[in-house]
Amino acid sequence: MTKNEIIEQLNEDRTAALFGEADRVRRLHCGNAVHLRGLIEFSNCCGRDCLYCGLRRSNRELKRYRMSVEEVFAAAQAAAKIGYQSVVLQSGENDQYPLFDLCGLIARIKSELKVAVTLSLGEKTREEYAALKDAGADRYLLRFETSSEKLFRALKPDSSYDERLRCLRWLGELGYQVGSGIMVGLPGQTMEMIADDILLMKELDLDMVGIGPFIANPCTPLKDAASGTLELTLKTLAIIRIVTRNTHIPATTAMGSIDPKGRQKALQCGANVLMPNVTPTRYRSLYQLYPNKICISDAPADCAGCIAGMVASLDRTIATGPGHSLKRN
Ligand code: 5AD
Ligand code: FES
């Protein structure tokens, strides 16, 4: 699709044809199995001050936590026991876990649990990414959030767009399966910007693309901004599926948080991945990127049951295996 065609689709109210095509492309390139990734949100401490995010360092209303390496391993073990063959370790950015500890944790998860390990720890040096890869990490998620440099600068005052893209390039060079993505409906974001975002995803040749609606958080400077809509998020998702073909695309928690059927709808217009939360329940309510996040009082086994029901109700199956990139086999 050309940029103009993408913009046209984003502005189109009749979505049936677009969603049908995205569903067809998903079935053809990714099949009917839904991949599950157990998400461990292991620390909500963050050194950055992004205007949209509840974990921003200026948010004094949030009680901060950092799980010990032992606790993270136990959460990964619980995920493996449920049957998830892939875990995502996510935290705030610039958190101060010693690199040595993170590498030890990854090595232990890989050797004892044999699951795929995805990291989502933000921007790091090339050397740090290399060490984490050597320790056994398979994948890395780092959303560029928006491809508009101007909007990026306004929303992420202590980060640079060039640096973020450099990080994505390094991750690819180091052999990670790389995921990136955006928020849809950011204040000041235009359809043209979203079209550019989608074309950048294609150009980066990503293995995974994660998107979700922007949800205004009352503890941030953007508290009075309008949130993104599920409709525009789903249209964006469908176009990303059509343009990128075989990327892994999750039906994200943010989609499920703005609409009780958000994730189901996403699975029907291009998504092929779910990320059940396996963070210990006592920490969940504290990982508050945005308000009304779902699954906050559930335990890992609750989400597993809920997700199995969701997948079955859509006539889809749960994938076996670690669900590696579809680009590299
Ligand atoms: N609304 C929706 N998504 C958010 N994220 C952070 N804050 C919000 C918010 N207020 C997303 C960002 C980040 C991911 C971990 O969560 O895209 O990359
Ligand atoms: Fe957590 Fe549904 S996924 S309860």
Side-chain angles (χ1 to χ4, degrees), residues 77-280:
Q77 200 169 32
K81 202 161 165 220
I82 286 174
Y84 303 148
Q85 294 183 60
S86 160
V87 294
V88 180
L89 309 184
Q90 186 175 80
S91 70
E93 200 159 325
N94 287 347
D95 196 1
Q96 302 302 319
Y97 284 84
L99 185 64
F100 182 80
D101 291 1
L102 288 175
C103 289
L105 170 66
I106 294 163
R108 185 163 173 221
I109 293 176
K110 291 298 294 183
S111 71
E112 292 185 34
L113 306 177
K114 316 258 181 298
V115 296
V117 172
T118 304
L119 303 177
S120 177
L121 316 173
E123 293 169 35
K124 297 204 166 277
T125 63
R126 196 181 201 280
E127 291 66 35
E128 288 171 312
Y129 286 144
L132 296 163
K133 183 79 185 56
D134 283 343
D138 301 283
R139 311 177 188 147
Y140 206 101
L141 306 176
L142 184 73
R143 292 185 180 178
F144 57 78
E145 314 292 2
T146 172
S147 64
S148 156
E149 266 193 81
K150 196 162 157 239
L151 186 58
F152 187 98
R153 224 174 298 127
L155 296 175
K156 293 176 69 67
D158 42 19
S159 183
S160 115
Y161 179 76
D162 288 343
E163 178 63 21
R164 207 149 178 102
L165 286 198
R166 201 172 305 132
C167 285
L168 285 168
R169 203 186 61 231
W170 288 337
L171 290 163
E173 288 168 1
L174 290 166
Y176 282 94
Q177 298 168 42
V178 181
S180 193
I182 59 163
M183 281 171 282
V184 176
L186 286 165
Q189 190 183 45
T190 62
M191 299 302 175
E192 187 180 352
M193 288 177 195
I194 297 177
D196 282 330
D197 295 339
I198 296 172
L199 293 173
L200 178 60
M201 291 167 188
K202 174 83 180 163
E203 188 187 315
L204 291 172
D205 195 24
L206 298 169
D207 301 288
M208 303 165 282
V209 179
I211 67 160
F214 158 69
I215 305 176
N217 186 323
C219 301
T220 66
L222 296 179
K223 57 177 176 291
D224 298 321
S227 294
T229 63
L230 183 65
E231 289 63 36
L232 183 58
T233 307
L234 293 178
K235 282 192 266 185
T236 305
L237 161 55
I239 298 167
I240 293 169
R241 167 58 70 209
I242 293 166
V243 169
T244 67
R245 304 271 142 180
N246 59 357
T247 47
H248 284 306
I249 307 181
T252 54
T253 305
M255 295 174 185
S257 298
I258 55 165
D259 180 319
K261 288 266 178 272
R263 288 177 298 175
Q264 288 88 329
K265 291 176 188 169
L267 286 169
Q268 291 175 290
C269 65
N272 71 321
V273 173
L274 282 166
M275 298 173 68
N277 198 321
V278 291
T279 308

